[in-house]
Amino acid sequence: MKGILSPIPKLNNIATMTLLADTNKTITYIADNLGFADSQSLYHFFKRSTGCTQTQYRNQLLGKL
């Protein structure tokens, strides 16, 4: 769906990546604060949009491949 709602997934991705990079907050905390129904919803959204899980993303940032 294009239009006014199309930037929202991108903003959610940016917010998720920022929180994963800049905090040690749990995935559940991040999901709750970004308005996802639960951590599984955030997991599927993030994996679909980035190709990796939140844990994989954090580990890459920390140099733990």
Side-chain angles (χ1 to χ4, degrees), residues 19 23 25-35 39 42:
L19 286 169
T23 69
K25 302 294 184 197
T26 66
I27 304 302
T28 302
Y29 175 89
I30 293 170
D32 186 50
N33 280 279
L34 292 178
S39 60
L42 175 58

Side-chain angles (χ1 to χ4, degrees), residues 13-64:
N13 247 3
I14 292 168
T16 302
M17 291 173 152
T18 300
L19 286 169
L20 288 169
D22 295 340
T23 69
N24 60 355
K25 302 294 184 197
T26 66
I27 304 302
T28 302
Y29 175 89
I30 293 170
D32 186 50
N33 280 279
L34 292 178
F36 287 89
D38 54 29
S39 60
Q40 279 299 98
S41 297
L42 175 58
Y43 171 88
H44 291 294
F45 167 79
F46 194 79
K47 176 88 172 173
R48 186 174 49 248
S49 10
T50 66
C52 66
T53 68
Q54 300 97 321
T55 301
Q56 290 169 332
Y57 179 78
R58 245 188 197 157
N59 286 342
Q60 288 173 358
L61 292 175
L62 298 172
K64 298 178 183 177

